[in-house]
Amino acid sequence: MKAAGLVLYKFCDFAFLPRPICHLSRLWPAGPCNGLAGSLSPGVNSTTCPQWPALHPTKHRGLSEDLDVAYSSGDFKQRAIQVLGEAVRVPTESYDDNGPVGEDSRWDTFAELHRVLEASFPRVYESLNVTKVNTYGLVFHWQGSSTAKPYILAAHQDVVPVEGQTVKDWKHDPYSGYYDGTWIWGRGTCDDKSDLIQQLLAIDSLLKQDFSPARTLILSYGFDEESKGTEGAGHLARYLEETYGRDSFALLLDEGGHYTDMGGIVFAAPSTSEKGYLDVEITLSTLGGHSSVPPSHTSIGLLSRFIAAVEDNPHQASLSRTGTPFATTQCLAAYSPLYPDDLRRLARQAVTNDAALKVLQERLLASDPLYKAMLGTTQAVDLVQGGVKVNALPERASAVINHRIAEHSSVGELQQHMIDLLTPLAAKYDLALVAFGSNVTYGSAGRVVLSDFLGTALEPSPVTPTEYGPWALLQGSIKATFESSPTRNSSKVVVTPSLSIGNTDTRFYWNLTKHIFRFSPSFDTDSFNGAHTINEAFRTDSLNEGVRFYTKFILNMDESDLL
Amino acid sequence: MYSLVIISLVLYTFCDSAFFPICYLPRFWLAGHCNGLAELLSPGVNSTTCPQWTALHPTKYRGLSEDLNVAYNSEDFKQRAIQALGDAVRVPTESYDDNGLVGEDSRWDTFAELHRVLEASFPRIYESLNVTKVNTYGLVFHWQGSTPAKPYILAAHQDVVPVEEQTVEEWKHDPYSGYYDGTWIWGRGTCDDKGDLIRQLLAIDSLLKQGFSPARTLILSYGFDEESKGIEGAGHLARYLEETYGRDSFALLLDEGDLYTDMGGIVFATPSISEKGYLDVKITVSTLGGHSSVPPSHTSIGLLSRFIAAVEDNPHQASLSRRGTPFATTQCLAAYDPAYPKDLRKLARKAVADDAALKVLQERLLASDPLYKAMLGTTQAVDLIEGGVKVNALPERASAVVNHRIAEHSSVAELQQHMIDLLTPLATKYDLALVAFGSNMTRGGAGQVVLSDFLGTALEPSPVTPTGYGPWALLQGSIKAAFESSPTRNSSKVVVVPSLSIVSDTQFYWNLTKHIFRFSPSFDTDRFNGEHTVNEGKPFRADSLNEGVRFYTKFILNVDESDLP
C-alpha cells in the first residue's frame, strides 16, 4: 500500500502559524482502485461515525425556503460581492508587534471598517445592540424573546499583513476587493471577512423578513486573531463572561474546517478540539573569551547537544479511542471511498480490539507524517542564534522548539518531559539547569535555562462533546444546507469531527461554553491560493452557500430546545 | 609529585585587536614550598636548549648610541614624545570591518589628517626620507643607505579599533583626547599601534638630528587597516614593496607584537617568529521549510546540531614537536623561569633527546593549562550560529561558523580534509548532499550541507622565522642591550624567547623576507588595566616611550652596522 498525504489547510490560516484545521489523510491504493466496495454511502448511518439526518427548520420552514430563493437571485449575489469587497478594501492588518489599543495608532484602521460595516448593514445596527469592547472589538446582541441560553457566532475583523515586497506578485491589488466575475480578490476575502460578512448578510436577510429570534444571538468579532488575540478576543471573552456569566452559552461557532471532496464524497470537518502550544526556549550561557584559546565546548556546542537530545527523543504518538483523531479515523474508514479496504477493516476491529488498535496506530503513523501531528505532541526546532563575532567565544546561544501539544497531554507534562530529558545532560556538562522558573540542578561550567519563549503557552482545548445536542444540530444544519443547495445536485455530505492543529480566537472562549465548533461553510477549493500568502481570493459562488448555512443554523438554533 | 596551582598568564600585547592574544606563556606557580630553583639558569648564563646571545651594543656608533641614551632621558625629550603621541592619537583613524575601497568610502579620509599631523611632528623625517603613499593612505618611508646591503623594514599601522559609541561615557578620558595625566597617555591607539609608530619615528628623527646617515637602507611601512581586513593597507604595501625591491629582498622585518613580561623576577621578551593559520568553516544545512505544526523528525537546525556536536567531539590532536616553536619556548621557560616546576624542568631537558619524555612532557603541558592546547595544535571554536525566521515556521536554512587557528605544523588543506572525513558519514546518515569547499562530496535527498570558508579569510600558518642565525641574534642582542642599558631597569637581564603567535598581522609580507619578527618594546604592565574593558582603550605608560625609542635606536644602529645578508 502506498499512501499519499492530503493536508487540507483551511484557507483562513496564517502564513507563519499555519493552522491546518482539518487533517484528513488520503490513503491511496497503489493498485487498481476497487475501494468503493466497503465504504458506506453518506446517506447510511454508521455506528462508528454517527450521522444525524439533515435538519431543516420546521417552525420557520417557509422563511428558510423563501430565503433560499432570495439568496439565489442575482441581486443578492451582487450585494454580497459589494459588501465583502468594501470590507476587504479596509486594510485591517494586525501586526505581531502591535502595542495596546489607544497607544498604537496602527489599530485606527478598524474604526474605518466599523464605518463600512454600519453603512453596509444599517438594519443590523438598528435592530441589534452593538457594543464596542476595547474600542475595536464588536459585540452584536440580538435579543431573543425566550430565556433560552444565548449562543455565539464568532469571526475576526483583522487580516494578515501584506508584505511590501510581495505586492507586485498579486494579480490584483491586495486591498482592491476586485471582482473578476469568479473571484473576489484581496487580503481577508478568505480569512476571515467572508465568514463575518456571510453572518451579517444572513442576519440582515432575516431582519428584512421580520424574523425576531426566540433565542438570544451574540456576534463576537475580534480584531487581532492573526497576531496575539489578546486585545480582541481576549477582551471580548472577559466582557462576555462578565456580562452573561460563565458557561452561559448554548454553543459557539467560529471560523475553522471546511468542506472537501474525497473521491466524490464531500466531507465537512468542523473541529471539536485544538492542540496545545508551547515554545520552549533553551538558552545556554557560558563564559566568553578569546576564540584562539577555546574550551572544548562553546555555548553553541553545548546547545547543539541539547537540541540533538530533544530531536532524538520525540514524543510518543498514540491513537486513543477517547481522542478526536480516532473519531476522525472511524469516519474516514466508514465513508471515504479512497480508504484502503484492509485499513478500513482494521479501523472497524480497533473499536474493541486493542491489538488491532495498536496495529492501526502503527499503520497510520507509517502512512503519513500528518498522523504524527494528529496523534501526539510534535516538536520542531525552529530558531537558533548565538555568538556575535567569528573570533569571540559565544557567551550565549539559544534555540526555540515549537511544540503542538497532543489533545491528551498538557503543558505541564511537556515541561516535565523536557526537564527529565535534559537534566542528565546538564549534569554531564556541569551546567546549572533552570527550568520554567525553578532551579533544577546546579553546575559551575555555565547555565542552561528552559523557558516559555514569548509567554504563549496554551493547554490543549477542552474537547467539544459530539454525543448530543449541539453537535447534532451543527451536523444537521450543514447537511440541510448542503443537500438543499441549488448547485450541489442534492449530493450528501459526511460531517466528521476533527482535531485542529492550529489555534483560533476560540482559545479565549473556553469559559463561555463546552460546545465550541470551528467551521467555515465553504470548500477548500473556494479559495484561489490559500490565505496568508499572495493572491488571496474567494469564489463568489460560495458566498450565498455560506449565507444559506448561517441562516439555517440560526433558525435551527432558534427553534431548538438546546440547554 | 608536587602540588601545583597553575595560573595562566596570557600576555596580550597592547597592540592586539580586541580578540587576539599575541603571546601565550603559561605561568607555573608553586603552591607548596618552593624549591624549584635548583637547576634554574640565571639570564646571564647561556643555555644549550635556549641559546641567549649577549647584549649587542653598537660599536661603530657607540658614542652616538650613548649620547642618545642621555638625550632620551631628558625631560624635553619626554615632553616631545608625549606631545607627538598625543597629537597622533587625537586623529580618530578608525578602520571598520565594513569599510569600502579607498576613494569610494569617505571614512578613510581621516587618514589624510593623520598624515598632516605626522608631517608637522616630524618635518626632519619628511625632508630627509623619501615618502611614498601607497593606495593613498599607506605610508612608505625610504631612508637610503650608502651601501648595497639588503634593506630592512620596520612596520606598524596607523589605524585603530573603532570606539563603540555606547562605551564612550565609560572612558575615564575621551578616547581621542590623547590626554596625559602625569603617568598615562589616554586614548584609542596609544598602545595599538601608534605607540610603536611614533617611537620608530622618534628614533629616526633623533638619529637624523645627530647627523646619522645609514649605510643600510631602512624602509618604514605603515598600513592603515590592520584592525579590519589589512588588504587596503598592508596588502597594497606588500605588493608595492615586492614590485619595487623584489621578492626576498629584505634582510628582516620587524612589526608590532609581543612584549616584555616579568615572571618571578626574571624578565622575558618574547618576539614571535611564527603565526598560526586561520580558517572559519561555515556549515550550512538546507532542508525544505514548511509548517511547524506538521514537522519532520529533524529540522535543519536539528541536523546542524549533530554536525556541530561531531566537530566538538573530534578535536584536533595537539602535538609537541621538537621542530616547533612551542618546543623552543618551552625549553626557554624550563631553563630560565624560576616559577617553572622542577620535575617539569627535568622532563623538558630529557625531552630534547628522549621520545618517551617528550610524550610525557606533552601530556603534562596539555593537562596543565588550556593554553597549551592552543599552542600545540589546531583549535576549533563554534562561535556563531543562526537559523530560522519565525517560531512557527520550519527553518529552511541554518548555519554555524567554526573558528579555527591552525597549528604551525598543519595547513588549511589538512584541516579541510579533516572536516570532510569527519562529516561525510554524518551527511550520508541523514541523506544530505555534502558540498565541501566547492566540491560535491556525496549526494542526498533530504537536503544539503555545505562547508565553506566563511568570509574567505583562510590563511596558512606562517613560515617559521629561523632562529639559528643572524637576524634573530641581532634582535636578541638589541633587546638585551636596550634593556640592560636602561636607567630604570637597574641593569637587570632579559631572556629572549621565540614564540608562536596566534594572530596573523604580517601575512602580507611573507614574500619580502624569511626573517619576520613581531615585537613591541614595552612591558605588559605599560598598559592600563586588562583588555576587554573599556579603559583597555589602552592608555600607555609615558615612561615606556623613551625605553621603546632606545630599543629602536639600538636596533637600527645594530642592523646598520651588521653584515646581515
Side-chain angles (χ1 to χ4, degrees):
Chain A
M1 188 194 81
K2 190 176 165 185
L6 172 68
V7 187
L8 305 181
Y9 290 101
K10 162 178 166 40
F11 48 81
C12 302
D13 61 354
F14 306 161
F16 291 107
L17 207 164
R19 299 170 307 161
I21 298 284
C22 168
H23 286 272
L24 300 180
S25 223
R26 168 177 287 175
L27 296 158
W28 204 295
C33 176
N34 62 352
L36 294 183
S39 67
L40 297 176
S41 123
V44 178
N45 206 351
S46 152
T47 53
T48 55
C49 177
Q51 297 294 307
W52 274 269
L55 183 64
H56 294 278
T58 49
K59 185 173 159 196
H60 298 293
R61 180 184 185 129
L63 171 59
S64 175
E65 286 174 359
D66 289 352
L67 285 175
D68 277 349
V69 174
Y71 294 155
S72 298
S73 71
D75 275 4
F76 181 80
K77 191 175 163 183
Q78 286 311 315
R79 166 155 159 69
I81 291 166
Q82 178 68 27
V83 295
L84 177 55
E86 279 172 14
V88 167
R89 280 186 278 276
V90 186
T92 48
E93 298 184 341
S94 80
Y95 303 90
D96 285 345
D97 63 347
N98 254 10
V101 172
E103 291 177 19
D104 192 326
S105 64
R106 288 181 291 180
W107 295 115
D108 299 350
T109 175
F110 287 88
E112 174 61 19
L113 179 63
H114 290 189
R115 278 189 290 276
V116 166
L117 292 177
E118 190 161 358
S120 296
F121 299 102
R123 223 181 338 250
V124 174
Y125 273 76
E126 235 166 65
S127 311
L128 277 60
N129 283 331
V130 183
T131 305
K132 299 194 175 175
V133 177
N134 196 22
T135 312
Y136 299 120
L138 281 175
V139 173
F140 293 81
H141 176 109
W142 196 4
Q143 182 62 45
S145 55
S146 76
T147 56
K149 262 189 172 180
Y151 65 108
I152 300 173
L153 297 181
H156 63 89
Q157 308 168 56
D158 60 310
V159 300
V160 174
V162 174
E163 285 179 46
Q165 69 268 32
T166 66
V167 172
K168 59 174 162 30
D169 299 325
W170 287 66
K171 284 187 204 290
H172 302 285
D173 186 274
Y175 295 108
S176 63
Y178 174 72
Y179 172 55
D180 68 3
T182 304
W183 304 93
I184 300 182
W185 292 83
R187 177 69 90 219
T189 47
C190 299
D191 184 5
D192 180 37
K193 288 175 176 169
S194 48
D195 284 338
L196 188 151
I197 293 295
Q198 287 169 334
Q199 291 171 11
L200 290 175
L201 281 168
I203 292 166
D204 190 51
S205 304
L206 287 165
L207 283 170
K208 195 173 170 190
Q209 300 280 342
D210 291 327
F211 171 76
S212 161
R215 186 190 292 269
T216 297
L217 166 59
I218 304 295
L219 305 178
S220 181
Y221 297 155
F223 58 93
D224 61 344
E225 197 271 350
E226 303 292 3
S227 49
K228 300 186 196 104
T230 45
E231 294 290 313
H235 279 79
L236 287 165
R238 211 171 314 137
Y239 167 80
L240 293 170
E241 188 173 344
E242 281 165 8
T243 308
Y244 300 91
R246 197 180 169 96
D247 211 14
S248 60
F249 292 90
L251 62 76
L252 183 149
L253 176 64
D254 199 354
E255 59 166 337
H258 294 261
Y259 299 120
T260 189
D261 185 310
M262 297 177 84
I265 301 296
V266 174
F267 287 78
S271 137
T272 52
S273 75
E274 290 181 345
K275 290 184 83 175
Y277 189 95
L278 183 66
D279 287 326
V280 177
E281 181 171 37
I282 305 179
T283 305
L284 252 296
S285 309
T286 58
L287 285 180
H290 304 99
S291 180
S292 50
V293 189
S296 300
H297 309 293
T298 65
S299 60
I300 294 171
L302 292 168
L303 176 65
S304 295
R305 287 162 171 83
F306 283 81
I307 292 172
V310 168
E311 279 201 347
D312 287 343
N313 294 275
H315 299 266
Q316 291 306 309
S318 114
L319 182 65
S320 152
R321 289 197 188 97
T322 55
T324 302
F326 185 81
T328 310
T329 300
Q330 290 301 332
C331 286
L332 291 177
Y335 292 105
S336 169
L338 302 176
Y339 218 74
D341 275 342
D342 58 338
L343 265 192
R344 196 192 311 281
R345 273 195 297 270
L346 200 54
R348 183 78 210 189
Q349 279 188 315
V351 174
T352 52
N353 180 330
D354 288 353
L357 180 66
K358 202 85 196 154
V359 176
L360 177 63
Q361 173 183 306
E362 295 318 309
R363 287 284 303 278
L364 293 177
L365 286 172
S367 73
D368 197 308
L370 282 178
Y371 278 105
K372 219 165 76 180
M374 288 174 66
L375 304 187
T377 297
T378 58
Q379 55 187 18
V381 191
D382 283 343
L383 289 176
V384 69
Q385 73 170 139
V388 288
K389 281 206 82 164
V390 73
N391 45 21
L393 297 175
E395 296 183 356
R396 251 176 59 103
S398 64
V400 181
I401 307 166
N402 179 246
H403 293 90
R404 312 302 172 106
I405 305 171
E407 191 178 78
H408 52 77
S409 184
S410 67
V411 171
E413 189 176 39
L414 171 56
Q415 290 178 333
Q416 195 57 51
H417 167 91
M418 298 288 288
I419 292 169
D420 294 345
L421 180 64
L422 301 180
T423 301
L425 211 52
K428 176 177 175 186
Y429 292 105
D430 191 23
L431 299 166
L433 173 63
V434 181
F436 310 105
S438 303
N439 292 315
V440 179
T441 60
Y442 290 91
S444 59
R447 204 161 90 121
V448 54
V449 177
L450 308 183
S451 61
D452 178 355
F453 178 44
L454 296 174
T456 51
L458 183 67
E459 296 290 347
S461 76
V463 181
T464 302
T466 53
E467 299 85 39
Y468 56 100
W471 171 252
L473 193 142
L474 175 65
Q475 230 194 30
S477 301
I478 291 171
K479 285 175 188 256
T481 307
F482 199 86
E483 291 167 17
S484 66
S485 161
T487 59
R488 299 295 174 200
N489 301 322
S490 306
S491 66
K492 306 270 187 188
V493 59
V494 176
V495 183
T496 166
S498 74
L499 166 68
S500 168
I501 287 184
N503 301 107
T504 58
D505 270 346
T506 58
R507 66 186 189 271
F508 296 98
Y509 294 138
W510 296 347
N511 280 350
L512 301 178
T513 174
K514 284 190 191 56
H515 301 282
I516 294 178
F517 303 102
R518 305 155 191 91
F519 175 68
S520 294
S522 52
F523 269 78
D524 49 356
T525 49
D526 290 337
S527 160
F528 182 83
N529 190 38
H532 298 207
T533 180
I534 59 164
N535 289 325
E536 183 174 340
F538 191 73
R539 192 188 298 277
T540 50
D541 283 350
S542 173
L543 277 173
N544 59 345
E545 289 293 330
V547 176
R548 288 199 319 108
F549 162 75
Y550 285 116
T551 303
K552 288 194 198 302
F553 184 71
I554 290 169
L555 292 176
N556 282 334
M557 276 303 293
D558 202 72
E559 293 181 3
S560 81
D561 57 358
L562 283 188
L563 296 179
Chain B
M1 282 297 289
Y2 53 93
S3 120
L4 186 62
V5 174
I6 296 156
I7 297 189
S8 308
L9 173 68
V10 185
L11 305 181
Y12 294 99
T13 90
F14 46 85
C15 301
D16 58 356
S17 58
F19 297 106
F20 295 135
I22 302 278
C23 165
Y24 289 90
L25 299 178
R27 165 176 285 173
F28 290 96
W29 202 292
L30 282 177
H33 178 68
C34 174
N35 63 352
L37 297 182
E39 299 163 43
L40 177 68
L41 297 179
S42 117
V45 178
N46 205 352
S47 155
T48 52
T49 53
C50 177
Q52 296 295 307
W53 275 268
T54 48
L56 183 65
H57 293 278
T59 50
K60 186 172 158 196
Y61 295 111
R62 182 187 184 124
L64 172 58
S65 175
E66 287 175 356
D67 289 351
L68 285 175
N69 276 350
V70 174
Y72 294 156
N73 289 333
S74 72
E75 192 55 30
D76 274 7
F77 180 81
K78 191 175 163 186
Q79 287 308 321
R80 165 152 162 66
I82 290 166
Q83 181 68 35
L85 178 55
D87 285 347
V89 167
R90 281 184 278 276
V91 185
T93 47
E94 298 185 340
S95 79
Y96 303 90
D97 285 344
D98 63 346
N99 255 9
L101 298 178
V102 172
E104 291 179 14
D105 192 325
S106 63
R107 287 181 292 178
W108 296 115
D109 297 351
T110 174
F111 287 89
E113 174 60 18
L114 179 63
H115 290 189
R116 277 189 291 276
V117 166
L118 292 177
E119 190 161 357
S121 296
F122 301 101
R124 228 184 327 256
I125 293 180
Y126 275 78
E127 238 164 62
S128 310
L129 277 60
N130 283 330
V131 184
T132 305
K133 298 194 176 177
V134 177
N135 195 24
T136 313
Y137 298 120
L139 282 174
V140 174
F141 293 82
H142 175 108
W143 196 3
Q144 182 61 45
S146 55
T147 71
K150 262 189 172 179
Y152 65 109
I153 299 174
L154 298 182
H157 63 89
Q158 309 168 57
D159 59 312
V160 301
V161 175
V163 174
E164 285 177 47
E165 213 163 300
Q166 69 268 33
T167 67
V168 170
E169 62 193 27
E170 297 167 46
W171 286 65
K172 282 196 206 303
H173 302 286
D174 186 274
Y176 294 109
S177 63
Y179 174 74
Y180 174 55
D181 67 4
T183 305
W184 304 95
I185 301 174
W186 291 83
R188 176 74 91 214
T190 46
C191 299
D192 183 5
D193 181 38
K194 289 175 178 169
D196 285 339
L197 188 151
I198 292 296
R199 292 188 297 184
Q200 291 170 10
L201 291 175
L202 282 167
I204 291 165
D205 191 52
S206 304
L207 287 165
L208 283 170
K209 194 174 169 189
Q210 299 283 339
F212 172 76
S213 161
R216 186 188 292 268
T217 297
L218 166 58
I219 302 295
L220 305 177
S221 181
Y222 297 154
F224 58 93
D225 61 344
E226 195 271 347
E227 303 293 2
S228 49
K229 299 186 196 108
I231 304 166
E232 294 290 311
H236 278 80
L237 287 164
R239 210 173 315 138
Y240 167 80
L241 293 171
E242 187 172 346
E243 281 165 7
T244 308
Y245 300 91
R247 198 180 167 95
D248 210 14
S249 59
F250 292 90
L252 62 80
L253 183 148
L254 177 64
D255 199 355
E256 60 165 337
D258 294 84
L259 311 180
Y260 298 119
T261 189
D262 185 310
M263 298 176 87
I266 304 295
V267 175
F268 288 80
T270 54
S272 134
I273 57 163
S274 78
E275 295 173 336
K276 289 183 84 175
Y278 189 95
L279 183 66
D280 287 324
V281 177
K282 183 176 187 183
I283 307 175
T284 306
V285 177
S286 309
T287 57
L288 284 180
H291 304 103
S292 181
S293 52
V294 188
S297 299
H298 309 293
T299 66
S300 60
I301 295 170
L303 293 167
L304 176 64
S305 295
R306 286 161 171 83
F307 284 85
I308 292 172
V311 167
E312 280 202 348
D313 287 343
N314 294 275
H316 299 266
Q317 291 307 309
S319 111
L320 181 64
S321 152
R322 290 197 188 95
R323 291 172 294 109
T325 303
F327 186 80
T329 309
T330 300
Q331 290 302 332
C332 286
L333 292 177
Y336 292 104
D337 177 5
Y340 216 76
K342 195 177 167 188
D343 60 336
L344 265 191
R345 196 192 311 283
K346 280 204 284 264
L347 200 55
R349 183 77 210 188
K350 277 206 323 194
V352 172
D354 178 338
D355 287 354
L358 180 65
K359 202 83 196 156
V360 176
L361 178 62
Q362 173 183 307
E363 295 317 310
R364 289 283 303 279
L365 293 177
L366 287 172
S368 72
D369 197 308
L371 284 176
Y372 278 105
K373 218 164 78 180
M375 288 174 65
L376 304 186
T378 297
T379 58
Q380 57 187 18
V382 191
D383 283 343
L384 290 176
I385 190 167
E386 67 169 332
V389 287
K390 283 208 87 169
V391 71
N392 43 25
L394 296 175
E396 296 183 358
R397 251 175 56 103
S399 64
V401 180
V402 189
N403 177 247
H404 293 91
R405 310 303 171 105
I406 305 172
E408 196 179 65
H409 52 77
S410 184
S411 67
V412 171
E414 190 176 36
L415 172 55
Q416 290 178 333
Q417 194 57 50
H418 167 91
M419 298 288 286
I420 292 168
D421 294 345
L422 180 64
L423 301 182
T424 301
L426 212 51
T428 305
K429 176 175 174 187
Y430 291 105
D431 192 24
L432 298 167
L434 174 63
V435 181
F437 309 106
S439 304
N440 293 315
M441 308 305 298
T442 59
R443 288 175 206 287
Q448 201 191 40
V449 53
V450 178
L451 307 183
S452 61
D453 178 355
F454 176 43
L455 295 174
T457 50
L459 186 67
E460 296 291 347
S462 77
V464 180
T465 302
T467 52
Y469 57 99
W472 170 252
L474 196 143
L475 175 65
Q476 225 191 35
S478 302
I479 290 171
K480 285 172 187 257
F483 198 84
E484 293 167 17
S485 66
S486 160
T488 60
R489 299 295 173 200
N490 300 321
S491 307
S492 66
K493 306 270 188 188
V494 60
V495 178
V496 183
V497 177
S499 74
L500 165 68
S501 165
I502 297 213
V503 234
S504 315
D505 292 338
T506 59
Q507 50 175 296
F508 298 103
Y509 294 135
W510 294 350
N511 280 351
L512 301 177
T513 175
K514 282 190 191 59
H515 302 281
I516 294 178
F517 303 102
R518 304 151 191 96
F519 175 67
S520 294
S522 323
F523 266 78
D524 51 350
T525 49
D526 289 340
R527 65 184 176 140
F528 186 91
N529 217 350
E531 72 292 335
H532 285 213
T533 64
V534 169
N535 284 315
E536 146 193 37
K538 299 179 181 174
F540 191 76
R541 192 188 294 276
D543 284 349
S544 171
L545 278 172
N546 59 348
E547 290 292 330
V549 176
R550 286 193 322 105
F551 162 75
Y552 285 118
T553 303
K554 286 190 198 308
F555 185 69
I556 290 168
L557 293 174
N558 282 334
V559 178
D560 201 73
E561 291 182 4
S562 82
D563 56 357
L564 286 185

